[in-house]
Amino acid sequence: MARNSTSETAERPVVLITGASSGIGRATAVRFARKGWRVLASMRRPERGAELRAEAQAAGWALTTPALDVTSDPSVEAAVGDVLRDTAGRIDVLINNAGYYAFGALEETSPDELRAQLETNVVGVHRVTRAVLPTMRARKNGAVVTIGS
C-alpha cells in the first residue's frame, strides 16, 4: 500500500499551516510530514510549493499545498471547506504562520503599508482561526498555534 493512500492518510493527525511556501512555515511543514502527519501546507501561491511537493512525493509524505490567502474571506472559506471535506472534518492543529514584514522607520511607513501588515498578521490570524474553530469544538479536540513577532 502506498504511504499516502486514502485509508492511511485518514488515520494520520492533520495539521493546517498558513504561509508554508518558505521560511518557518515550510520548515514546520517538513517537520510534521517527517513525523507522519497529514500536512496541509497552505500558501497564497501554490506554484511556489513545487519544490516542497516534489520533496514530499519523493519521501512518501502526506503533504499538499492548498491555496489560502489569509487576507481574503472567500479564500479562507474555500480552503478550509476543501480541507475539511478532504479530511472528513478533521483538523487537529492549526498553525497560523503567514506573516507580512514591513521594514523601515515609522515615519516612512504609509498607513496603507501598515494596514496590509495588520490585515495579514492580525486579521488573517483571526480569520483562519475563526474558520477552523467550529470543527475543533465539534470534535472537542484541536490546538491553535500562532507564530508572530
Side-chain angles (χ1 to χ4, degrees), residues 68-89:
L68 191 158
D69 180 351
V70 301
T71 67
S72 164
D73 285 330
S75 175
V76 170
E77 290 168 14
V80 171
D82 289 347
V83 166
L84 292 174
R85 275 187 294 284
D86 291 347
T87 63

Side-chain angles (χ1 to χ4, degrees), residues 109-122:
T109 303
S110 73
D112 286 341
E113 290 170 321
L114 179 59
R115 281 185 202 97
Q117 187 173 28
L118 290 172
E119 185 65 33
T120 299
N121 298 0
V122 178

Side-chain angles (χ1 to χ4, degrees), residues 102-110 113:
F103 181 77
L106 182 64
E107 66 269 17
E108 295 172 3
T109 303
S110 73
E113 290 170 321

Side-chain angles (χ1 to χ4, degrees), residues 9 11 20 28 34 63 78 85 95 100 109 111 113 115 121-122 125:
T9 58
E11 301 303 317
T28 302
R34 283 184 179 151
L63 183 147
R85 275 187 294 284
I95 300 179
Y100 178 93
T109 303
E113 290 170 321
R115 281 185 202 97
N121 298 0
V122 178
V125 168

Side-chain angles (χ1 to χ4, degrees), residues 18 20 27 38 57 69 72 107 119 128 141:
T18 66
R38 183 168 181 190
Q57 184 175 10
D69 180 351
S72 164
E107 66 269 17
E119 185 65 33
V128 178
N141 186 30

